[in-house]
Amino acid sequence: MAVRNVVAGKDVREKIIAEIPTAKIDVMELDLSSMASVRKFASEFKSADLPLNILINNAGIMATPFKLSTDGIEMQFATNHLGHFLLTHLLLDTMKKTARDSKIEGRIVNVSSAGHGFANSAGIPFDKDELNDEKGYSSVVAYGRSKLANILHANELARQLKEEGVDITANSLHPGSITTNLLQHRKIVYVLLRVFNKFFKTVPQGASTECYIALNPQVKGVTGKYFSDNNIEEPQKQATDTELAKKLWDFSLTLIQ
């Protein structure tokens, strides 16, 4: 378990072990908004010489006030996309080796959102100054951009892995509207969500689709797809743009240098 809050992570670990005594779980610190933290985590993970079959990129913040990350990048884009992009980039060789050695398909799962449609028609600005423009900042549009980036990242990764002949799939998904504190920065919506939570998914229900993509034999070989409620769905048109996905890939590479 890669977690930002190690104390909370260890509490979850104990709860899981109490329910499933045979579970083997390590808790490691990882802050996706910091490239230094991502690099440290990846280095420590690789030093442990552990196999890696499944990578679920699940961290996320939503509609936050404008802020730059420690690396000087708009915080939602830094946390929701760039941290995952760097983490996947650093762990990919380990996943390839595991897939070869184990003869078991590797799976990469990006947790996106139907909110990728909040990205405006311009999509993602491939210019750091424009990305970090506080004057033109919209917290909802920035969230949409980061979630659009999750889908495009998975699609381009799927294309490259397929071209390389590597037995690893990459997919993205919308987990649904879930009763968590993700909307804490949108106070009115957050209160309404708590009041009308019977219309929203529980956390286990919200985790269903990512677990389905990561584990179910029915999706063996399925790659470069977007899922919702355990089914393949069509995302917004921008999310299927192969040229946009390639541009995002190249832009992300420049940001992690």
Side-chain angles (χ1 to χ4, degrees), residues 11 18-20 42-43 45 50 52 84 98 102 105 110 113 132 152 166 168 178 189 201 205 208 228 238 241 252-253:
D11 285 345
E19 192 175 328
I20 309 166
S43 176
F45 183 86
L50 293 166
L52 183 60
H84 291 132
T98 302
S102 67
E105 176 185 81
N110 281 2
S113 167
N132 292 343
L152 294 171
V166 178
I168 299 173
I178 310 165
V189 180
K201 290 184 177 181
Q205 288 168 339
S208 173
S228 180
Q238 280 190 109
D241 188 329
S252 301
L253 283 176

Side-chain angles (χ1 to χ4, degrees), residues 1-245:
M1 291 170 57
V3 299
R4 186 172 53 184
N5 185 329
V6 175
V7 173
K10 286 180 177 177
D11 285 345
V12 172
R13 176 184 180 276
E14 294 310 311
K15 286 175 185 174
I16 294 171
I17 289 173
E19 192 175 328
I20 309 166
T22 55
K24 294 180 181 178
I25 302 167
D26 291 317
V27 176
M28 295 174 65
E29 185 175 8
L30 173 62
D31 179 354
L32 269 297
S33 71
S34 162
M35 285 194 262
S37 177
V38 174
R39 292 183 191 281
K40 182 173 181 287
F41 170 86
S43 176
E44 289 175 353
F45 183 86
K46 287 190 280 190
S47 294
D49 199 28
L50 293 166
L52 183 60
N53 290 95
I54 299 166
L55 176 63
I56 299 178
N57 291 318
N58 184 50
I61 54 175
M62 182 178 184
T64 57
F66 181 82
K67 186 180 178 183
L68 295 180
S69 71
T70 54
D71 303 291
I73 297 161
E74 189 277 310
M75 186 61 87
Q76 291 192 82
F77 191 82
T79 305
N80 296 352
H81 165 64
L82 201 60
H84 291 132
F85 180 87
L86 176 59
L87 180 66
T88 306
H89 182 72
L90 294 174
L91 295 179
L92 201 53
D93 283 344
T94 302
M95 289 200 74
K96 289 177 181 178
K97 183 179 185 303
T98 302
R100 282 195 306 268
D101 294 349
S102 67
K103 303 291 190 292
I104 298 171
E105 176 185 81
R107 297 186 183 183
I108 297 168
V109 181
N110 281 2
V111 180
S112 179
S113 167
H116 71 274
F118 297 151
N120 56 26
S121 57
I124 299 164
F126 299 115
D127 176 271
K128 193 174 176 182
D129 290 337
E130 194 178 340
L131 187 69
N132 292 343
D133 177 25
E134 186 174 1
K135 278 188 177 179
Y137 180 74
S138 160
S139 63
V140 173
V141 171
Y143 175 72
R145 284 173 178 168
S146 69
K147 295 287 106 181
L148 172 61
N150 290 149
I151 303 173
L152 294 171
H153 171 218
N155 291 354
E156 176 59 14
L157 185 57
R159 187 194 68 78
Q160 292 186 19
L161 291 167
K162 209 171 184 178
E163 197 174 81
E164 220 180 303
V166 178
D167 193 18
I168 299 173
T169 63
N171 292 290
S172 56
L173 68 111
H174 168 55
S177 300
I178 310 165
T179 50
T180 69
N181 65 354
L182 189 64
L183 278 163
Q184 60 185 300
H185 297 286
R186 313 294 287 185
K187 294 296 183 186
I188 294 174
V189 180
Y190 185 56
V191 170
L192 288 173
L193 186 151
R194 289 298 179 185
V195 172
F196 298 104
N197 64 7
K198 67 178 179 179
F199 299 109
F200 293 82
K201 290 184 177 181
T202 63
V203 172
Q205 288 168 339
S208 173
T209 303
E210 58 197 89
C211 291
Y212 174 76
I213 300 170
L215 299 167
N216 200 295
Q218 290 185 355
V219 292
K220 181 173 170 57
V222 176
T223 191
K225 300 297 182 184
Y226 172 76
F227 288 75
S228 180
D229 291 326
N230 296 349
N231 287 293
I232 294 173
E233 283 204 1
E234 276 298 309
Q236 297 291 323
K237 191 176 179 182
Q238 280 190 109
T240 63
D241 188 329
T242 54
E243 288 307 309
L244 193 65

